[in-house]
mmCIF file with all atom_site columns, all heavy atoms in Angstrom:
data_model
loop_
_atom_site.group_PDB
_atom_site.id
_atom_site.type_symbol
_atom_site.label_atom_id
_atom_site.label_alt_id
_atom_site.label_comp_id
_atom_site.label_asym_id
_atom_site.label_entity_id
_atom_site.label_seq_id
_atom_site.pdbx_PDB_ins_code
_atom_site.Cartn_x
_atom_site.Cartn_y
_atom_site.Cartn_z
_atom_site.occupancy
_atom_site.B_iso_or_equiv
_atom_site.pdbx_formal_charge
_atom_site.auth_seq_id
_atom_site.auth_comp_id
_atom_site.auth_asym_id
_atom_site.auth_atom_id
_atom_site.pdbx_PDB_model_num
ATOM 1   N N   . ASP A 1 1  ? 0.850  -1.198  -0.010 1.00 67.00 ? 267 ASP A N   1
ATOM 2   C CA  . ASP A 1 1  ? -0.016 0.001   -0.004 1.00 67.00 ? 267 ASP A CA  1
ATOM 3   C C   . ASP A 1 1  ? 0.837  1.253   0.026  1.00 67.00 ? 267 ASP A C   1
ATOM 4   O O   . ASP A 1 1  ? 0.515  2.228   -0.622 1.00 67.00 ? 267 ASP A O   1
ATOM 5   C CB  . ASP A 1 1  ? -0.964 -0.022  1.269  1.00 67.00 ? 267 ASP A CB  1
ATOM 6   C CG  . ASP A 1 1  ? -1.900 1.225   1.249  1.00 67.00 ? 267 ASP A CG  1
ATOM 7   O OD1 . ASP A 1 1  ? -2.821 1.127   0.444  1.00 67.00 ? 267 ASP A OD1 1
ATOM 8   O OD2 . ASP A 1 1  ? -1.642 2.071   2.015  1.00 67.00 ? 267 ASP A OD2 1
ATOM 9   N N   . ARG A 1 2  ? 2.002  1.211   0.711  1.00 67.00 ? 268 ARG A N   1
ATOM 10  C CA  . ARG A 1 2  ? 2.833  2.389   0.860  1.00 67.00 ? 268 ARG A CA  1
ATOM 11  C C   . ARG A 1 2  ? 4.104  2.386   -0.058 1.00 67.00 ? 268 ARG A C   1
ATOM 12  O O   . ARG A 1 2  ? 4.929  3.166   -0.009 1.00 67.00 ? 268 ARG A O   1
ATOM 13  C CB  . ARG A 1 2  ? 3.290  2.614   2.290  1.00 67.00 ? 268 ARG A CB  1
ATOM 14  C CG  . ARG A 1 2  ? 2.178  2.815   3.191  1.00 67.00 ? 268 ARG A CG  1
ATOM 15  C CD  . ARG A 1 2  ? 2.647  3.237   4.573  1.00 67.00 ? 268 ARG A CD  1
ATOM 16  N NE  . ARG A 1 2  ? 1.442  3.391   5.542  1.00 67.00 ? 268 ARG A NE  1
ATOM 17  C CZ  . ARG A 1 2  ? 1.621  3.655   6.804  1.00 67.00 ? 268 ARG A CZ  1
ATOM 18  N NH1 . ARG A 1 2  ? 2.789  3.673   7.382  1.00 67.00 ? 268 ARG A NH1 1
ATOM 19  N NH2 . ARG A 1 2  ? 0.558  3.806   7.544  1.00 67.00 ? 268 ARG A NH2 1
ATOM 20  N N   . ASN A 1 3  ? 4.109  1.325   -0.957 1.00 68.00 ? 269 ASN A N   1
ATOM 21  C CA  . ASN A 1 3  ? 5.216  1.120   -1.870 1.00 68.00 ? 269 ASN A CA  1
ATOM 22  C C   . ASN A 1 3  ? 6.515  1.140   -1.081 1.00 68.00 ? 269 ASN A C   1
ATOM 23  O O   . ASN A 1 3  ? 7.531  1.679   -1.518 1.00 68.00 ? 269 ASN A O   1
ATOM 24  C CB  . ASN A 1 3  ? 5.229  2.286   -2.885 1.00 68.00 ? 269 ASN A CB  1
ATOM 25  C CG  . ASN A 1 3  ? 6.115  1.925   -4.071 1.00 68.00 ? 269 ASN A CG  1
ATOM 26  O OD1 . ASN A 1 3  ? 6.326  0.737   -4.426 1.00 68.00 ? 269 ASN A OD1 1
ATOM 27  N ND2 . ASN A 1 3  ? 6.519  2.938   -4.849 1.00 68.00 ? 269 ASN A ND2 1
ATOM 28  N N   . ASN A 1 4  ? 6.522  0.378   0.038  1.00 76.00 ? 270 ASN A N   1
ATOM 29  C CA  . ASN A 1 4  ? 7.671  0.366   0.913  1.00 76.00 ? 270 ASN A CA  1
ATOM 30  C C   . ASN A 1 4  ? 8.250  -1.105  0.843  1.00 76.00 ? 270 ASN A C   1
ATOM 31  O O   . ASN A 1 4  ? 7.685  -2.022  1.403  1.00 76.00 ? 270 ASN A O   1
ATOM 32  C CB  . ASN A 1 4  ? 7.259  0.686   2.346  1.00 76.00 ? 270 ASN A CB  1
ATOM 33  C CG  . ASN A 1 4  ? 8.455  0.783   3.361  1.00 76.00 ? 270 ASN A CG  1
ATOM 34  O OD1 . ASN A 1 4  ? 9.447  0.047   3.209  1.00 76.00 ? 270 ASN A OD1 1
ATOM 35  N ND2 . ASN A 1 4  ? 8.413  1.694   4.206  1.00 76.00 ? 270 ASN A ND2 1
ATOM 36  N N   . MET A 1 5  ? 9.311  -1.215  0.043  1.00 83.00 ? 271 MET A N   1
ATOM 37  C CA  . MET A 1 5  ? 9.915  -2.498  -0.173 1.00 83.00 ? 271 MET A CA  1
ATOM 38  C C   . MET A 1 5  ? 10.446 -3.165  1.151  1.00 83.00 ? 271 MET A C   1
ATOM 39  O O   . MET A 1 5  ? 10.478 -4.374  1.281  1.00 83.00 ? 271 MET A O   1
ATOM 40  C CB  . MET A 1 5  ? 11.079 -2.389  -1.204 1.00 83.00 ? 271 MET A CB  1
ATOM 41  C CG  . MET A 1 5  ? 11.548 -3.757  -1.727 1.00 83.00 ? 271 MET A CG  1
ATOM 42  S SD  . MET A 1 5  ? 10.189 -4.806  -2.514 1.00 83.00 ? 271 MET A SD  1
ATOM 43  C CE  . MET A 1 5  ? 9.792  -3.698  -3.877 1.00 83.00 ? 271 MET A CE  1
ATOM 44  N N   . SER A 1 6  ? 10.908 -2.286  2.076  1.00 85.00 ? 272 SER A N   1
ATOM 45  C CA  . SER A 1 6  ? 11.467 -2.864  3.311  1.00 85.00 ? 272 SER A CA  1
ATOM 46  C C   . SER A 1 6  ? 10.403 -3.606  4.098  1.00 85.00 ? 272 SER A C   1
ATOM 47  O O   . SER A 1 6  ? 10.716 -4.700  4.656  1.00 85.00 ? 272 SER A O   1
ATOM 48  C CB  . SER A 1 6  ? 11.989 -1.756  4.132  1.00 85.00 ? 272 SER A CB  1
ATOM 49  O OG  . SER A 1 6  ? 13.108 -1.155  3.546  1.00 85.00 ? 272 SER A OG  1
ATOM 50  N N   . LEU A 1 7  ? 9.133  -3.035  4.208  1.00 84.00 ? 273 LEU A N   1
ATOM 51  C CA  . LEU A 1 7  ? 8.077  -3.710  4.937  1.00 84.00 ? 273 LEU A CA  1
ATOM 52  C C   . LEU A 1 7  ? 7.771  -5.032  4.280  1.00 84.00 ? 273 LEU A C   1
ATOM 53  O O   . LEU A 1 7  ? 7.492  -6.068  4.879  1.00 84.00 ? 273 LEU A O   1
ATOM 54  C CB  . LEU A 1 7  ? 6.881  -2.874  4.974  1.00 84.00 ? 273 LEU A CB  1
ATOM 55  C CG  . LEU A 1 7  ? 6.963  -1.665  5.912  1.00 84.00 ? 273 LEU A CG  1
ATOM 56  C CD1 . LEU A 1 7  ? 5.723  -0.718  5.702  1.00 84.00 ? 273 LEU A CD1 1
ATOM 57  C CD2 . LEU A 1 7  ? 7.125  -2.118  7.378  1.00 84.00 ? 273 LEU A CD2 1
ATOM 58  N N   . ILE A 1 8  ? 7.717  -5.108  2.871  1.00 86.00 ? 274 ILE A N   1
ATOM 59  C CA  . ILE A 1 8  ? 7.387  -6.282  2.186  1.00 86.00 ? 274 ILE A CA  1
ATOM 60  C C   . ILE A 1 8  ? 8.407  -7.375  2.437  1.00 86.00 ? 274 ILE A C   1
ATOM 61  O O   . ILE A 1 8  ? 8.100  -8.516  2.658  1.00 86.00 ? 274 ILE A O   1
ATOM 62  C CB  . ILE A 1 8  ? 7.336  -6.027  0.655  1.00 86.00 ? 274 ILE A CB  1
ATOM 63  C CG1 . ILE A 1 8  ? 6.164  -5.021  0.394  1.00 86.00 ? 274 ILE A CG1 1
ATOM 64  C CG2 . ILE A 1 8  ? 7.120  -7.300  -0.129 1.00 86.00 ? 274 ILE A CG2 1
ATOM 65  C CD1 . ILE A 1 8  ? 6.106  -4.530  -1.054 1.00 86.00 ? 274 ILE A CD1 1
ATOM 66  N N   . ILE A 1 9  ? 9.704  -6.940  2.393  1.00 90.00 ? 275 ILE A N   1
ATOM 67  C CA  . ILE A 1 9  ? 10.822 -7.920  2.619  1.00 90.00 ? 275 ILE A CA  1
ATOM 68  C C   . ILE A 1 9  ? 10.748 -8.418  4.075  1.00 90.00 ? 275 ILE A C   1
ATOM 69  O O   . ILE A 1 9  ? 10.911 -9.634  4.294  1.00 90.00 ? 275 ILE A O   1
ATOM 70  C CB  . ILE A 1 9  ? 12.164 -7.280  2.380  1.00 90.00 ? 275 ILE A CB  1
ATOM 71  C CG1 . ILE A 1 9  ? 12.363 -6.948  0.888  1.00 90.00 ? 275 ILE A CG1 1
ATOM 72  C CG2 . ILE A 1 9  ? 13.364 -8.139  2.903  1.00 90.00 ? 275 ILE A CG2 1
ATOM 73  C CD1 . ILE A 1 9  ? 13.579 -6.102  0.558  1.00 90.00 ? 275 ILE A CD1 1
ATOM 74  N N   . ILE A 1 10 ? 10.519 -7.594  5.042  1.00 90.00 ? 276 ILE A N   1
ATOM 75  C CA  . ILE A 1 10 ? 10.442 -8.000  6.376  1.00 90.00 ? 276 ILE A CA  1
ATOM 76  C C   . ILE A 1 10 ? 9.356  -9.066  6.640  1.00 90.00 ? 276 ILE A C   1
ATOM 77  O O   . ILE A 1 10 ? 9.579  -10.047 7.305  1.00 90.00 ? 276 ILE A O   1
ATOM 78  C CB  . ILE A 1 10 ? 10.215 -6.791  7.406  1.00 90.00 ? 276 ILE A CB  1
ATOM 79  C CG1 . ILE A 1 10 ? 11.567 -5.992  7.368  1.00 90.00 ? 276 ILE A CG1 1
ATOM 80  C CG2 . ILE A 1 10 ? 9.907  -7.286  8.804  1.00 90.00 ? 276 ILE A CG2 1
ATOM 81  C CD1 . ILE A 1 10 ? 11.381 -4.684  8.142  1.00 90.00 ? 276 ILE A CD1 1
ATOM 82  N N   . GLY A 1 11 ? 8.144  -8.722  6.072  1.00 88.00 ? 277 GLY A N   1
ATOM 83  C CA  . GLY A 1 11 ? 7.012  -9.715  6.145  1.00 88.00 ? 277 GLY A CA  1
ATOM 84  C C   . GLY A 1 11 ? 7.233  -10.977 5.536  1.00 88.00 ? 277 GLY A C   1
ATOM 85  O O   . GLY A 1 11 ? 6.987  -12.056 6.037  1.00 88.00 ? 277 GLY A O   1
ATOM 86  N N   . THR A 1 12 ? 7.822  -10.911 4.320  1.00 90.00 ? 278 THR A N   1
ATOM 87  C CA  . THR A 1 12 ? 8.023  -12.130 3.526  1.00 90.00 ? 278 THR A CA  1
ATOM 88  C C   . THR A 1 12 ? 9.087  -13.008 4.128  1.00 90.00 ? 278 THR A C   1
ATOM 89  O O   . THR A 1 12 ? 8.981  -14.222 4.199  1.00 90.00 ? 278 THR A O   1
ATOM 90  C CB  . THR A 1 12 ? 8.457  -11.702 2.011  1.00 90.00 ? 278 THR A CB  1
ATOM 91  O OG1 . THR A 1 12 ? 7.384  -10.931 1.515  1.00 90.00 ? 278 THR A OG1 1
ATOM 92  C CG2 . THR A 1 12 ? 8.581  -12.936 1.225  1.00 90.00 ? 278 THR A CG2 1
ATOM 93  N N   . VAL A 1 13 ? 10.264 -12.413 4.462  1.00 91.00 ? 279 VAL A N   1
ATOM 94  C CA  . VAL A 1 13 ? 11.315 -13.127 4.970  1.00 91.00 ? 279 VAL A CA  1
ATOM 95  C C   . VAL A 1 13 ? 10.913 -13.799 6.340  1.00 91.00 ? 279 VAL A C   1
ATOM 96  O O   . VAL A 1 13 ? 11.252 -14.955 6.720  1.00 91.00 ? 279 VAL A O   1
ATOM 97  C CB  . VAL A 1 13 ? 12.594 -12.253 5.222  1.00 91.00 ? 279 VAL A CB  1
ATOM 98  C CG1 . VAL A 1 13 ? 13.687 -13.010 6.046  1.00 91.00 ? 279 VAL A CG1 1
ATOM 99  C CG2 . VAL A 1 13 ? 13.090 -11.876 3.815  1.00 91.00 ? 279 VAL A CG2 1
ATOM 100 N N   . SER A 1 14 ? 10.240 -13.051 7.170  1.00 91.00 ? 280 SER A N   1
ATOM 101 C CA  . SER A 1 14 ? 9.796  -13.601 8.506  1.00 91.00 ? 280 SER A CA  1
ATOM 102 C C   . SER A 1 14 ? 8.832  -14.751 8.285  1.00 91.00 ? 280 SER A C   1
ATOM 103 O O   . SER A 1 14 ? 8.997  -15.750 9.025  1.00 91.00 ? 280 SER A O   1
ATOM 104 C CB  . SER A 1 14 ? 9.026  -12.489 9.290  1.00 91.00 ? 280 SER A CB  1
ATOM 105 O OG  . SER A 1 14 ? 9.885  -11.412 9.559  1.00 91.00 ? 280 SER A OG  1
ATOM 106 N N   . ALA A 1 15 ? 7.898  -14.758 7.301  1.00 90.00 ? 281 ALA A N   1
ATOM 107 C CA  . ALA A 1 15 ? 6.981  -15.840 7.139  1.00 90.00 ? 281 ALA A CA  1
ATOM 108 C C   . ALA A 1 15 ? 7.829  -17.052 6.582  1.00 90.00 ? 281 ALA A C   1
ATOM 109 O O   . ALA A 1 15 ? 7.532  -18.175 6.953  1.00 90.00 ? 281 ALA A O   1
ATOM 110 C CB  . ALA A 1 15 ? 5.998  -15.454 6.083  1.00 90.00 ? 281 ALA A CB  1
ATOM 111 N N   . ALA A 1 16 ? 8.845  -16.841 5.720  1.00 91.00 ? 282 ALA A N   1
ATOM 112 C CA  . ALA A 1 16 ? 9.635  -17.902 5.191  1.00 91.00 ? 282 ALA A CA  1
ATOM 113 C C   . ALA A 1 16 ? 10.429 -18.545 6.295  1.00 91.00 ? 282 ALA A C   1
ATOM 114 O O   . ALA A 1 16 ? 10.483 -19.773 6.336  1.00 91.00 ? 282 ALA A O   1
ATOM 115 C CB  . ALA A 1 16 ? 10.488 -17.338 4.094  1.00 91.00 ? 282 ALA A CB  1
ATOM 116 N N   . LEU A 1 17 ? 11.085 -17.750 7.161  1.00 91.00 ? 283 LEU A N   1
ATOM 117 C CA  . LEU A 1 17 ? 11.852 -18.261 8.269  1.00 91.00 ? 283 LEU A CA  1
ATOM 118 C C   . LEU A 1 17 ? 10.941 -19.064 9.197  1.00 91.00 ? 283 LEU A C   1
ATOM 119 O O   . LEU A 1 17 ? 11.363 -20.135 9.670  1.00 91.00 ? 283 LEU A O   1
ATOM 120 C CB  . LEU A 1 17 ? 12.581 -17.150 8.980  1.00 91.00 ? 283 LEU A CB  1
ATOM 121 C CG  . LEU A 1 17 ? 13.731 -16.487 8.228  1.00 91.00 ? 283 LEU A CG  1
ATOM 122 C CD1 . LEU A 1 17 ? 14.264 -15.299 9.086  1.00 91.00 ? 283 LEU A CD1 1
ATOM 123 C CD2 . LEU A 1 17 ? 14.901 -17.485 8.018  1.00 91.00 ? 283 LEU A CD2 1
ATOM 124 N N   . LEU A 1 18 ? 9.819  -18.591 9.513  1.00 89.00 ? 284 LEU A N   1
ATOM 125 C CA  . LEU A 1 18 ? 8.849  -19.275 10.348 1.00 89.00 ? 284 LEU A CA  1
ATOM 126 C C   . LEU A 1 18 ? 8.508  -20.581 9.743  1.00 89.00 ? 284 LEU A C   1
ATOM 127 O O   . LEU A 1 18 ? 8.414  -21.640 10.474 1.00 89.00 ? 284 LEU A O   1
ATOM 128 C CB  . LEU A 1 18 ? 7.604  -18.402 10.566 1.00 89.00 ? 284 LEU A CB  1
ATOM 129 C CG  . LEU A 1 18 ? 6.565  -19.013 11.558 1.00 89.00 ? 284 LEU A CG  1
ATOM 130 C CD1 . LEU A 1 18 ? 7.151  -19.130 12.909 1.00 89.00 ? 284 LEU A CD1 1
ATOM 131 C CD2 . LEU A 1 18 ? 5.333  -18.007 11.612 1.00 89.00 ? 284 LEU A CD2 1
ATOM 132 N N   . ALA A 1 19 ? 8.266  -20.688 8.502  1.00 89.00 ? 285 ALA A N   1
ATOM 133 C CA  . ALA A 1 19 ? 7.975  -21.966 7.826  1.00 89.00 ? 285 ALA A CA  1
ATOM 134 C C   . ALA A 1 19 ? 9.128  -22.943 7.852  1.00 89.00 ? 285 ALA A C   1
ATOM 135 O O   . ALA A 1 19 ? 8.942  -24.149 8.185  1.00 89.00 ? 285 ALA A O   1
ATOM 136 C CB  . ALA A 1 19 ? 7.569  -21.669 6.353  1.00 89.00 ? 285 ALA A CB  1
ATOM 137 N N   . ILE A 1 20 ? 10.296 -22.450 7.734  1.00 90.00 ? 286 ILE A N   1
ATOM 138 C CA  . ILE A 1 20 ? 11.509 -23.310 7.767  1.00 90.00 ? 286 ILE A CA  1
ATOM 139 C C   . ILE A 1 20 ? 11.712 -23.896 9.188  1.00 90.00 ? 286 ILE A C   1
ATOM 140 O O   . ILE A 1 20 ? 12.005 -25.123 9.332  1.00 90.00 ? 286 ILE A O   1
ATOM 141 C CB  . ILE A 1 20 ? 12.708 -22.519 7.326  1.00 90.00 ? 286 ILE A CB  1
ATOM 142 C CG1 . ILE A 1 20 ? 12.672 -22.222 5.762  1.00 90.00 ? 286 ILE A CG1 1
ATOM 143 C CG2 . ILE A 1 20 ? 14.012 -23.296 7.583  1.00 90.00 ? 286 ILE A CG2 1
ATOM 144 C CD1 . ILE A 1 20 ? 13.724 -21.193 5.334  1.00 90.00 ? 286 ILE A CD1 1
ATOM 145 N N   . ILE A 1 21 ? 11.581 -22.963 10.205 1.00 88.00 ? 287 ILE A N   1
ATOM 146 C CA  . ILE A 1 21 ? 11.717 -23.344 11.621 1.00 88.00 ? 287 ILE A CA  1
ATOM 147 C C   . ILE A 1 21 ? 10.763 -24.432 11.953 1.00 88.00 ? 287 ILE A C   1
ATOM 148 O O   . ILE A 1 21 ? 11.165 -25.482 12.558 1.00 88.00 ? 287 ILE A O   1
ATOM 149 C CB  . ILE A 1 21 ? 11.738 -22.185 12.519 1.00 88.00 ? 287 ILE A CB  1
ATOM 150 C CG1 . ILE A 1 21 ? 12.962 -21.296 12.223 1.00 88.00 ? 287 ILE A CG1 1
ATOM 151 C CG2 . ILE A 1 21 ? 11.707 -22.615 13.954 1.00 88.00 ? 287 ILE A CG2 1
ATOM 152 C CD1 . ILE A 1 21 ? 12.838 -19.986 12.924 1.00 88.00 ? 287 ILE A CD1 1
ATOM 153 N N   . LEU A 1 22 ? 9.507  -24.215 11.674 1.00 85.00 ? 288 LEU A N   1
ATOM 154 C CA  . LEU A 1 22 ? 8.448  -25.163 12.049 1.00 85.00 ? 288 LEU A CA  1
ATOM 155 C C   . LEU A 1 22 ? 8.611  -26.487 11.244 1.00 85.00 ? 288 LEU A C   1
ATOM 156 O O   . LEU A 1 22 ? 8.329  -27.571 11.867 1.00 85.00 ? 288 LEU A O   1
ATOM 157 C CB  . LEU A 1 22 ? 7.073  -24.548 11.858 1.00 85.00 ? 288 LEU A CB  1
ATOM 158 C CG  . LEU A 1 22 ? 6.591  -23.535 12.870 1.00 85.00 ? 288 LEU A CG  1
ATOM 159 C CD1 . LEU A 1 22 ? 5.182  -23.112 12.558 1.00 85.00 ? 288 LEU A CD1 1
ATOM 160 C CD2 . LEU A 1 22 ? 6.642  -24.120 14.288 1.00 85.00 ? 288 LEU A CD2 1
ATOM 161 N N   . SER A 1 23 ? 8.965  -26.353 9.974  1.00 84.00 ? 289 SER A N   1
ATOM 162 C CA  . SER A 1 23 ? 9.122  -27.607 9.236  1.00 84.00 ? 289 SER A CA  1
ATOM 163 C C   . SER A 1 23 ? 10.287 -28.403 9.721  1.00 84.00 ? 289 SER A C   1
ATOM 164 O O   . SER A 1 23 ? 10.232 -29.666 9.897  1.00 84.00 ? 289 SER A O   1
ATOM 165 C CB  . SER A 1 23 ? 9.441  -27.230 7.757  1.00 84.00 ? 289 SER A CB  1
ATOM 166 O OG  . SER A 1 23 ? 9.615  -28.335 6.951  1.00 84.00 ? 289 SER A OG  1
ATOM 167 N N   . SER A 1 24 ? 11.413 -27.716 10.180 1.00 83.00 ? 290 SER A N   1
ATOM 168 C CA  . SER A 1 24 ? 12.553 -28.475 10.791 1.00 83.00 ? 290 SER A CA  1
ATOM 169 C C   . SER A 1 24 ? 12.155 -29.137 12.129 1.00 83.00 ? 290 SER A C   1
ATOM 170 O O   . SER A 1 24 ? 12.606 -30.213 12.446 1.00 83.00 ? 290 SER A O   1
ATOM 171 C CB  . SER A 1 24 ? 13.712 -27.428 10.985 1.00 83.00 ? 290 SER A CB  1
ATOM 172 O OG  . SER A 1 24 ? 14.095 -26.924 9.748  1.00 83.00 ? 290 SER A OG  1
#
């Protein structure tokens, strides 16, 4: 919404890391 790439990266990377940790 705010065209803020940093927020998108933080949300995406956090979700990916959470998926990796729980999967492990």
Side-chain angles (χ1 to χ4, degrees):
D267 184 74
R268 296 188 182 174
N269 197 23
N270 188 324
M271 192 58 65
S272 297
L273 289 174
I274 298 174
I275 292 172
I276 290 171
T278 304
V279 170
S280 298
L283 288 175
L284 183 61
I286 292 170
I287 292 170
L288 283 184
S289 179
S290 301

